[in-house]
Amino acid sequence: MRIVIDMQGAQTGSRHRGIGRYTIALAQAMVRQRGEHEIILLLNGMFPETLAPIRTAFRDLLPSRQICVWNAVAPVCTDIPANTPRRHIAEIIREDFIRSLKPDVLHITSLFEGFGDDAVHSIKMHPGIQSGARTVVTFYDVIPLIQKEIYLDPNPHFQKPYYEKIEQLKKADLLLAISESSRQEAIDN
């Protein structure tokens, strides 16, 4: 089985927080336990400062040819409406790149990125270039959805892209909740 792990959770501002550490640790554990499975790490080239540190973190675990970088033209962050056409093009580039890797499984380590940075995620958004892979998403929480009055209501520029991510999350084939509490949030919301 070929498993592609989208490492953007370790490339955005999240790389300095729990999501980034979790992304690296989970991917390293998966690589160590891969057995006969092939694992490919997928990196976003719009975060050039993160490429070498991630390659270093996997240097003794994975051949360098199994760390792949896709590129698009920045900026694509969702908080600037003028970026929308570029972001959609970046989604197509990313999905086509993933298709070219011929994965059986695509694991997205952090879907809720890209609000203030150039992370690009999409799940089955462009049917003509689908890889046919099962999509798995690590699920942390939906705090902005649960506490709308704090996060969404006062930030209308954040609402639309956040709800778009929720719709994409629903297209995933599997959610990997990080805790029982997260699992319950996914069920309830």
Side-chain angles (χ1 to χ4, degrees), residues 44-64:
N44 178 339
M46 291 184 282
F47 296 96
E49 70 283 0
T50 67
L51 303 179
I54 292 173
R55 287 182 187 282
T56 299
F58 289 87
R59 180 179 43 228
D60 298 330
L61 299 173
L62 200 61
S64 62

Side-chain angles (χ1 to χ4, degrees), residues 43-156:
L43 304 179
N44 178 339
M46 291 184 282
F47 296 96
E49 70 283 0
T50 67
L51 303 179
I54 292 173
R55 287 182 187 282
T56 299
F58 289 87
R59 180 179 43 228
D60 298 330
L61 299 173
L62 200 61
S64 62
R65 71 181 178 283
Q66 288 177 247
I67 301 175
C68 299
V69 180
W70 68 274
N71 287 287
V73 176
V76 296
C77 58
T78 61
D79 53 344
I80 300 172
N83 292 341
T84 301
R86 252 188 322 276
R87 185 176 65 256
H88 289 307
I89 291 167
E91 288 172 357
I92 291 168
I93 291 168
R94 177 182 165 274
E95 285 189 18
D96 191 52
F97 191 87
I98 291 167
R99 183 195 52 76
S100 75
L101 297 173
K102 298 179 175 33
D104 297 300
V105 174
L106 168 65
H107 181 184
I108 298 173
T109 59
S110 184
L111 180 66
F112 290 88
E113 305 288 339
F115 297 112
D117 57 50
D118 292 322
V120 176
H121 292 100
S122 55
I123 299 176
K124 302 173 186 170
M125 293 287 288
H126 305 282
I129 54 172
Q130 288 304 302
S131 70
R134 296 280 188 179
T135 303
V136 176
V137 176
T138 299
F139 182 78
Y140 300 93
D141 62 56
V142 285
I143 291 172
L145 192 59
I146 293 169
Q147 298 178 354
K148 293 178 197 172
E149 67 284 349
I150 296 171
Y151 295 99
L152 299 176
D153 295 345
N155 300 302

Side-chain angles (χ1 to χ4, degrees), residues 1-33:
M1 178 181 303
R2 180 175 289 168
I3 302 166
V4 172
I5 304 173
D6 183 314
M7 297 293 292
Q8 289 180 90
Q11 292 189 273
T12 66
S14 293
R15 73 183 179 272
H16 303 296
R17 298 188 301 272
I19 288 174
R21 290 187 300 273
Y22 188 88
T23 295
I24 294 289
L26 179 61
Q28 287 175 330
M30 290 172 71
V31 168
R32 285 185 187 106
Q33 299 298 318

